Amino acid sequence: MGTYTPHTDDEIADMLAFLGLDTLDDLFAAIPEAIRLQGRLELADGVGEPDVLAHFTELAEANLARNDRMLCFAGGGAYDHEVPQVTRSLAGRSEFVTSYTPYQPEVAQGVLQAVFEYQTLVSRLSGLPISNASLYDGATSLVEAVNLGVAAAGRNQVWVSSGVHPHWRQVLATTAAGTGHRTTVVPLLDGTTAWPEPDPNDPPGVVAVALPNYLGCLEDLSVARRLCDATGAQLVVAFDPVAVGLLRSPGAWGADVAVAEGQPFGTALGFGGPYLGLFSTTTAHVRRLPGRLVGETVDVDGRRAYVTTLRAREQDIRRDKATSNVCTNQTLMAVTAAIQLSWLGTSGLVEVATRCARGARYARDGLLAIDGVEPYATAPVLREFALRLPVPADLLIERMAEAGFLAGIALGDHYQGGSHAVLVTVTERRTRREIDAYLAAFADAVRP
Amino acid sequence: MGTYTPHTDDEIADMLAFLGLDTLDDLFAAIPEAIRLQGRLELADGVGEPDVLAHFTELAEANLARNDRMLCFAGGGAYDHEVPQVTRSLAGRSEFVTSYTPYQPEVAQGVLQAVFEYQTLVSRLSGLPISNASLYDGATSLVEAVNLGVAAAGRNQVWVSSGVHPHWRQVLATTAAGTGHRTTVVPLLDGTTAWPEPDPNDPPGVVAVALPNYLGCLEDLSVARRLCDATGAQLVVAFDPVAVGLLRSPGAWGADVAVAEGQPFGTALGFGGPYLGLFSTTTAHVRRLPGRLVGETVDVDGRRAYVTTLRAREQDIRRDKATSNVCTNQTLMAVTAAIQLSWLGTSGLVEVATRCARGARYARDGLLAIDGVEPYATAPVLREFALRLPVPADLLIERMAEAGFLAGIALGDHYQGGSHAVLVTVTERRTRREIDAYLAAFADAVRP
Amino acid sequence: MTGPAAPGGRAASAPLLGSDTEPTVFELSVPGRRAWSLRTTEVPEVPVADLVPVAFRREDQVELAEVSERDLVAHVTRLSHRQFSVDLGAYPLGSCTMKYNPKVCDAVAALEGLAGVHPAAPPSLTQGWLSLLVELERALCELTGMAAATLQPAAGAAGELTGLLLMRAWHQAHGSVRHRVVIPDSAHGTNPASVTLGGYQVTTVPTDERGCVDLDALCRVLDEDVAGIMLTNPNTLGLFEEDITTIARKAHDVGALLYYDGANLNAILGVVRPGDMGFDIVHMNLHKTFATPHGGGGPGAGPVAVAERLAPFLPGPRPVALEPDEEGTARFGWTVPPQSIGRVHGFHGNALVLARALAYLLVNGGDGLRRVAELAVLNANWLRTRLRGTFDAPYDRPCMHEAVLSARTLRDRFGVRALDVAKRLLDEGFHAPTIYFPLIVDEALMIEPTETESLQTLEALAQAFERIVAEAAASGPAEAHAAPHHTPVRRVDEARAARHLVATYDARH
Amino acid sequence: MTGPAAPGGRAASAPLLGSDTEPTVFELSVPGRRAWSLRTTEVPEVPVADLVPVAFRREDQVELAEVSERDLVAHVTRLSHRQFSVDLGAYPLGSCTMKYNPKVCDAVAALEGLAGVHPAAPPSLTQGWLSLLVELERALCELTGMAAATLQPAAGAAGELTGLLLMRAWHQAHGSVRHRVVIPDSAHGTNPASVTLGGYQVTTVPTDERGCVDLDALCRVLDEDVAGIMLTNPNTLGLFEEDITTIARKAHDVGALLYYDGANLNAILGVVRPGDMGFDIVHMNLHKTFATPHGGGGPGAGPVAVAERLAPFLPGPRPVALEPDEEGTARFGWTVPPQSIGRVHGFHGNALVLARALAYLLVNGGDGLRRVAELAVLNANWLRTRLRGTFDAPYDRPCMHEAVLSARTLRDRFGVRALDVAKRLLDEGFHAPTIYFPLIVDEALMIEPTETESLQTLEALAQAFERIVAEAAASGPAEAHAAPHHTPVRRVDEARAARHLVATYDARH
Ligand SMILES: Cc1ncc(COP(=O)(O)O)c(C=O)c1O
Ligand SMILES: Cc1ncc(COP(=O)(O)O)c(C=O)c1O
């Protein structure tokens, strides 16, 4: 049994006496007898903390893909970037970890200011002036962006490039069942989106595209922007926040909303979560913003202070008319990202993006020199790229795992011929020696 | 090159200009040219933090005896006790880790109060009313205790039981070269100290004994106490601070000074350091106390406050007449011990001590059932015990390491027949299953 | 000589030493400074121009802050000193279950073998994670009395939306077109917002004078157009809905599903289960009930458990136990339920939060969890009874894990509002309770002490409330209106923040 | 109803919220509470009576605190909020080198493969540790220009005593009986105290008007009875002893050894080496120069490096590189030097502190370490120059890593002493400088900014000093005497603590 409650038997007896009750069971008198749990839960009794830690250590050992044992060449929305101890230490401070949503700004300036800095940093990355305090992950950011776009455009026809992360598109499809948005997935042609002519009777209200896209390819977003200009649609850009260290920002391409997965900034791979949905938009849309927003103000003494603001958009006030249902978000990851981005600074972001791109270039050149390995698309790539293989991608991944590499991600049924195609990612953590070993193992693994 | 300095080139130029200097080299004008370092240090240029972390990870991997891989049955002054995350988290708070000695009490109440609590806890363990703020380790505590005892008794003949940790005795011998103490090591007879009759012309000024002793044996300290009473010597007791959860305290046996190794309370094995020297004595000796002492007082508003006190004993004030030369001590380990002891609480200390003793009993019974394994001594033991082996202890340890156990510590040349004898320790962390596996491996390993 | 940058090594803004304003990291920035340090890779140094086609390349750099590690550490550490947290003191924030979060869960979440696993790694390489998720799902189903669960939703609201989409899929599969979801007027704001996103309209039912759903009113709005009823039980007044089985029967009679908002699950762990009350869909807030720390506003985790008949609709992929291998070793994999509504998270949910929750469940065990509920309810009732004379008690009967009181009389007699009480309580060394929620209670003070606070802390909290009321009675509202006095900043101008929106440092001028 | 225990969940004592007194953990204690949680072992439950013979058994229990994990965490976290630290702000504490400690070193010290190694494990199982220690020893020897080192001493003072015992062993081996050790009057208190413990008498030499050892006076006391001279260079006034080679020659001429107190090594890293100055024995304070954090007063590490001829006397066992094995892999072991003075630590020294120091050395590298010295000296001179008009500058010439100023005029004119300046500076958000040391400077203010503070921080610090002086000039000493005003407690009654000694909670009544 856990030891996190302070009550001694004497104190329990005193407290019950104060309430005029005999037993703890009496506390539940309001619960009809008929539905009360008879007997005990089918859960083992509590055990010691070390027992539990040992159990989890065993589970952890059973994960062969753990990053300290298998070199990671997988990306696809979850990246193996350097997380320095300084970020871990600071983001792990218990004042951040164990506080609630900053409902009382006077005792929550720590979190509020960190989120204010985060919003600023995200806006600088996205090139759009308004950023919220975070959403659950990249996928839910996309959903919220589309919801905003549909509301702003007043049309629920949504065109989504199939260059957008397949999982994100799936989440969009799931939620569209509730919102009623009509979603059209637009295919890629040799790595970039082949936008159709819009039907003048049913033009899109939202156009969503990725930068770079899931295959790692760079797309000319001015095409999508023109499409939006022509139809009055809202342009949603799902961007790689590391790649924008080198690439024109969504804002510069004319995005109305920019969303991203913020995991690359200091958050562990963690089997996919908790991650961080970045969300930026134009000032025009600020009252449609989903989630929390921190603003600067002053206290009664005129000192600078921060507070959550424009709260009238939110569910606790606007209820069924709210811009979104999000309440708890991913604040700790936002604080983490603010720390990590300040650790990187102006030069560090460029450095990381450049190193990723260099590593990817070096690996890709090496891989394409292997017999039977072909580019999946010829559009330019930056830090991820897809390859066609002479063997099933799943087989390659299993073989590479034995050699100590997480080789990449099978494109699978999300893309044509995807069962024999793999998405490869190189981060700044991969050394030349590691990439060389990867290339050698890859050459072995693609032998039929 | 490290990145821990904030100066930009522009700022350096500005600052030099302010000083009227041209180059950074000019800062060192006072240093005679002849002795200045010509060229560069033969140290590699700085590298990235991840490179260094990778280097240390490799070194760490090369330590086969690491505790997460090899079950620890070694003790001898360094114990594998449970260190819960709560102790790690709290003791790791950067306010404790990165602060200096509390020279400014107004901004150091955190450390000062924690040390005050530590002193209280140590006094309750030792049974003596005055405890200092820590010394380097058990060995240096012994040295300081002997120094205090000699000064108090006015005689420098020191009798040390060979039941005291052999390393501690060695450190005592090393420092005796400076202090001039004359040290007599008194042998053990079947596990307990065989005190000789004192020479009336040269009686001991200090008598030092261990509780339990290095072989794990319990000694009747009233013998040593009577010896002290008869000669006017000071009784120094080196005690196991976990074992006193079950045993009469040094204070109860009549010790004048009690010292111990405080590592068992939340400090990592850490290849032997940093550890924690506990030091307690009677009120009569408070002005002879080595090291720092925290006392309670009030601030100008009458609020309770803590401060280092009786400073006139210390080296920075008393200089060559100081009670000791200790300045920096092991404060962080003292804070850690205060946390860990409060985590254990009254019942936890007893529980840990009892579990150690039970594990030791169970293991010892099993080991003595193995052919050729004999008790090294017949005196009663608690949580450690020594065994005679049919094979060299070093061989046993190497063989057991292959089976995944740190089998114990060879008694070596510190004790008669020690090359074929091993000291075994069982802590509360060892499960029955682990002990059973250890017994089976042991039975194999002692086959000639 | 010095630039316009602010000093980074000065602690004046730490409450320990005063109450200056902490500069933003942008004000600490000096061009050319850096903290980053990356590994030596020896990868060929291709110039950027050769890596990025000019059409895609940015011309400027993304301007971030340029600070030393030293200044970054000092800045963030000082920010942390301006932040209240459970680890500093009690947080009796109703509806939020701000209990103590055991540190052992931090150790679990930090295990490299969990934290370092890429979500796209195949099942053969992630058996540990799959096993963990399956174990957690089973435990949550046992606790709620449900058949199956999805662990994907990232928070309570995400769970609600998932539940509503399940509801929709269920009705659709049964050829039934429905438009409304019924919720009580005391419901949390996420409930109606989720209903809208689920494509339904909200029908609100009032609360009766006993603080429960008005059963007659409910019956009046219940018909075959109702897809479901969303309830939390205990409800947001901290009261148990005693008619729950009747409500369930009525709902099921018209073919509606009963949805359980699990934010208040802490009160009933091991005592009564939503499934046994008749609920069909249940979300849980692991970041409330199962002590995964709240992180200043997240991350959370909002798993959704359902009755057997709804299991085929759950989001996928779901972790499942497969046939054991030849040697009898358990094997795990992924499956997509046959009528799955689809993914609701980019990967598998907030996995490390899930791991923390399982650790908490296992340390406590079945026996410990029941104890949690008992003591949470004991603490709440002790405090309620202690304070019923100090404040108004609009629903004056035994509560579950939280008690809703009201500062109505205090306002009317002395001009001190719930907001003022909250702010003054900060000066007393406690976090404020939830105020003005539920909306149906005038000047609501919603107090949830949780089971991890001691009797001594409750006593101190009660005395603090009493002092605030006594102060108002003795010397009027001035002190309370001016409160808080001892916080890093004093009362904050919220209206100004909305009027002159400054949501980034760049918007300051 | 409530016992006498204090509430644990109340943050009133955290400076964030006010400035109450934090109760001691004993006051939070309630019999029967617990936080501990141990593993399930299934070891047979032999009763205690069977485990401990009655003659040795204690009858009572050791009374410790009985608190919940929640209350323990809150208590210690609140204590941490009452503590200044480098991570909060600048610490210009002269002679202490309170620089920023890179967090990467925490990661190194936490590696289970280092932290989890038992010190008695044989060399075959601890090759990583041995290799680490050998690597560190080499680096330290290179930095100091010495031949060999011991890593055992746990702090600077332990290093000093080790050095003096080496000195003694050396003379003894050479049949020379000597009684005195010479130290300057500016020396740190550990120097004379260590001399006494080393069995020598202290002969003090004065400082000349330039702030250096008075060479004539030194020559007068130097004879064949002098075992050695202990110096720190730069000395405790922050000045470089320019005559060092002369001093070395004179010392060696009479057969004395020259000892280097390395507390101030930060100033000369990569610029000049003690060995090249003529020193024979050098201790280092890794917790100053090599950024191993100070822990509120320790742990430190005080390795001692020596010239070739002293190496045979070093403490043992020493880690050494052995012949590589057949495959050319480096192997490491332990050796005891032939004339070893013996052990000076229970095991191998403060090993995890040593690991941190090596990590710092490797990240910085040879180039970075020189940079450290340059910028430490640059910062100190900038501040000295900036403040020489504000305070008295008793030795008004370029300094090395720290500057000693004096508040003499301030005291004489306005009644504000160095102590008052120090306390008032706390209100300004900085830690105080070292005061009243070295003893030879009246109203000494010893300021060491270190290289990790920025120009902006130095500027703010200078302005803070200036404000304090201006305040005294404008409105007298009252504010300064009453300072600090914004700290968790205000000026503390030190005399009372000594008069009525209360050194444990149990001594309170
Ligand atoms: C009753 C109730 N329902 C739902 C929620 C929403 O949960 P979340 O914030 O995790 O989205 C909350 C959170 O405060 C709540 O109190
Ligand atoms: C000049 C000088 N020498 C020696 C020492 C003693 O070092 P330690 O405190 O590590 O024993 C110090 C420490 O403050 C010092 O400043």
Side-chain angles (χ1 to χ4, degrees), chain B residues 153-159 182 184 197-207 227-228 230-234:
Chain B
R155 291 201 302 270
N156 73 357
Q157 175 64 256
V158 179
W159 284 10
R182 292 166 302 134
T184 306
E197 273 305 304
D199 173 354
N201 299 317
D202 188 13
V206 174
V207 171
L227 181 61
C228 291
T231 57
Q234 296 285 316

Side-chain angles (χ1 to χ4, degrees), chain B residues 100 136 327-328, chain D residues 95-96 155-158 160 188 190-191 232 236 261 263-264 283 285 287-288:
Chain B
Y100 200 74
Y136 305 137
C327 176
T328 294
Chain D
S95 203
C96 299
E160 293 171 18
H188 192 260
T190 50
N191 291 188
T232 161
T236 49
D261 174 339
N264 299 333
H283 93 252
N285 289 49
H287 45 303
K288 300 180 194 283

